[in-house]
Amino acid sequence: MFQQKPYSAVTVTIENLTSESYEEEDLSGIPELVEVIKLQASGPGEAARAIRKKLKYGNVHRQIRALVILDGLIQNAGERFQRTFVDEPLLERLRVCGTSQLSDIAVRNKCRELFRGWTQYAGTPGLDKIARLHKELPKRKQAVTQERSKVLRETEENPFVDDEQEAAAKAARQAASSSNAPPTATESFSHSHTKSSSGSGSFFGGSKDKKKEKDKAKGKRKPFNLEAEKETMKVVIADSSFAATNLMNVLQSINREVERISENPAAVERFEACKLLRRKVLRYVRYHDPFTE
């Protein structure tokens, strides 16, 4: 069970202070926010979470407002706030906002300005990590490259084999591996003379025969016929475009400040539909990719 996150006057006040009705550098609402935070034991943590969500999901104005509010709280909310509000998710979001090329240039500039100013808090209880932000980079996971993509790895062997054919081939391989399982002790003892009399020549000959059979099986794969697949390709592309549009429409309708995408049934359904079409599209893309020829 997930613990319910606090949602009180702290979050509501930050929501109001980051709205378009306030100028970016307006500090008039900070005293009221400080008083609201002091009234609750969870006030500093809730404020940090609300600010982090504005930095992650808000537009440029809301992101800059969140940074200004955070700076105002650090200066005016007192020692209790300074000691307890910092957590790793907020620090990571600040690192990303200050260094990522995906962040707006105005947001990055504001972050760098504040990071330089926050160096004065080095040695202040609870603010050491804030004071070191100007030296740190985001601790994000390494991006998945094309070579590491699971989807592309799945299509490397034969991208035009249908799912049913792949399932049948997999079952055949499993049956073959089970038939080649090592014999029991009794079977090994009873057939020991037969194996010894066959000689080493038959062993190597058997290996060559197996290799020839594998090569022959590979040669039986049906070649891809562009003309025959043209209509199917058109249908797949049209279905994929339609599914992607549906997914985008659902994502745009979700308020990510109050709801997770993974908890929205419509978004999950549209996403699964796109996943089903993804592999078919990649088959055709890989076939027409000049770097794979």
Side-chain angles (χ1 to χ4, degrees):
M1 297 295 293
F2 293 100
Q3 184 178 2
Q4 184 68 28
K5 301 294 183 181
Y7 187 93
S8 66
V10 175
T11 302
V12 174
T13 303
I14 292 176
E15 175 71 26
N16 294 334
L17 292 178
T18 55
S19 65
E20 303 291 339
S21 59
Y22 286 86
E23 297 293 333
E24 289 183 351
E25 301 294 334
D26 190 350
L27 298 175
S28 60
I30 297 297
E32 177 188 355
L33 178 58
V34 170
E35 293 301 320
V36 173
I37 291 174
K38 288 182 177 180
L39 291 175
Q40 304 179 56
S42 61
E46 183 179 350
R49 181 173 181 270
I51 290 173
R52 174 172 57 84
K53 296 189 76 171
K54 295 303 175 187
L55 292 174
K56 186 174 183 179
Y57 300 122
N59 56 25
V60 174
H61 177 80
R62 286 184 178 271
Q63 291 180 45
I64 294 178
R65 284 293 298 156
L67 291 169
V68 171
I69 291 170
L70 177 59
D71 185 48
L73 290 175
I74 292 175
Q75 296 182 43
N76 300 283
E79 294 182 359
R80 172 174 168 265
F81 178 85
Q82 293 177 348
R83 289 195 306 268
T84 57
F85 86 97
V86 175
D87 58 16
E88 186 56 35
L90 176 61
L91 291 172
E92 180 68 2
R93 180 48 47 185
L94 289 170
R95 296 184 193 108
V96 172
C97 289
T99 60
S100 174
Q101 294 299 319
L102 298 179
S103 296
D104 189 90
I105 183 64
V107 176
R108 293 204 304 270
N109 290 339
K110 186 63 180 179
C111 284
R112 291 166 185 170
E113 174 190 338
L114 293 177
F115 291 175
R116 288 193 296 268
W118 289 343
T119 57
Q120 63 179 305
Y121 297 112
T124 303
L127 296 181
D128 286 336
K129 293 182 178 180
I130 287 288
R132 293 197 300 266
L133 278 174
H134 70 290
K135 299 180 180 179
E136 297 184 4
L137 294 175
K139 300 177 181 178
R140 291 168 293 178
K141 296 180 180 179
Q142 185 177 3
V144 177
T145 61
Q146 184 176 10
E147 291 77 9
R148 297 185 179 185
S149 172
K150 178 182 178 182
V151 179
L152 292 180
R153 288 200 307 270
E154 290 175 349
T155 60
E156 281 179 355
E157 183 176 358
N158 187 0
F160 300 106
V161 175
D162 293 335
D163 294 339
E164 293 80 3
Q165 291 176 319
E166 288 183 345
K170 184 177 180 180
R173 288 194 299 268
Q174 291 177 348
S177 62
S178 61
S179 63
N180 292 331
T184 61
T186 305
E187 293 174 343
S188 177
F189 178 79
S190 61
H191 294 286
S192 59
H193 295 290
T194 305
K195 290 182 179 179
S196 60
S197 62
S198 60
S200 59
S202 61
F203 173 78
F204 291 106
S207 300
K208 292 180 180 179
D209 292 340
K210 289 182 179 179
K211 186 176 181 181
K212 289 181 180 179
E213 290 177 0
K214 288 183 179 180
D215 294 339
K216 188 176 181 181
K218 288 183 179 179
K220 290 182 179 179
R221 287 178 179 173
K222 185 179 180 181
F224 177 76
N225 189 327
L226 179 60
E227 292 299 325
E229 293 285 342
K230 185 177 295 185
E231 294 302 321
T232 304
M233 289 173 61
K234 291 180 180 179
V235 173
V236 170
I237 293 173
D239 290 344
S240 301
S241 177
F242 183 71
T245 301
N246 287 340
L247 176 60
M248 184 62 66
N249 291 338
V250 173
L251 293 178
Q252 291 176 348
S253 67
I254 298 175
N255 184 357
R256 293 188 292 175
E257 296 183 17
V258 298
E259 181 184 11
R260 293 182 178 180
I261 294 176
S262 59
E263 296 175 353
N264 185 287
V268 173
E269 180 182 355
R270 301 292 190 275
F271 177 70
E272 293 298 330
C274 288
K275 283 177 63 178
L276 293 176
L277 292 165
R278 171 185 64 177
R279 191 174 182 185
K280 295 181 180 180
V281 173
L282 285 176
R283 290 171 179 170
Y284 297 119
V285 170
R286 185 178 185 277
Y287 180 78
H288 289 288
D289 188 353
F291 296 103
T292 61
E293 295 179 353

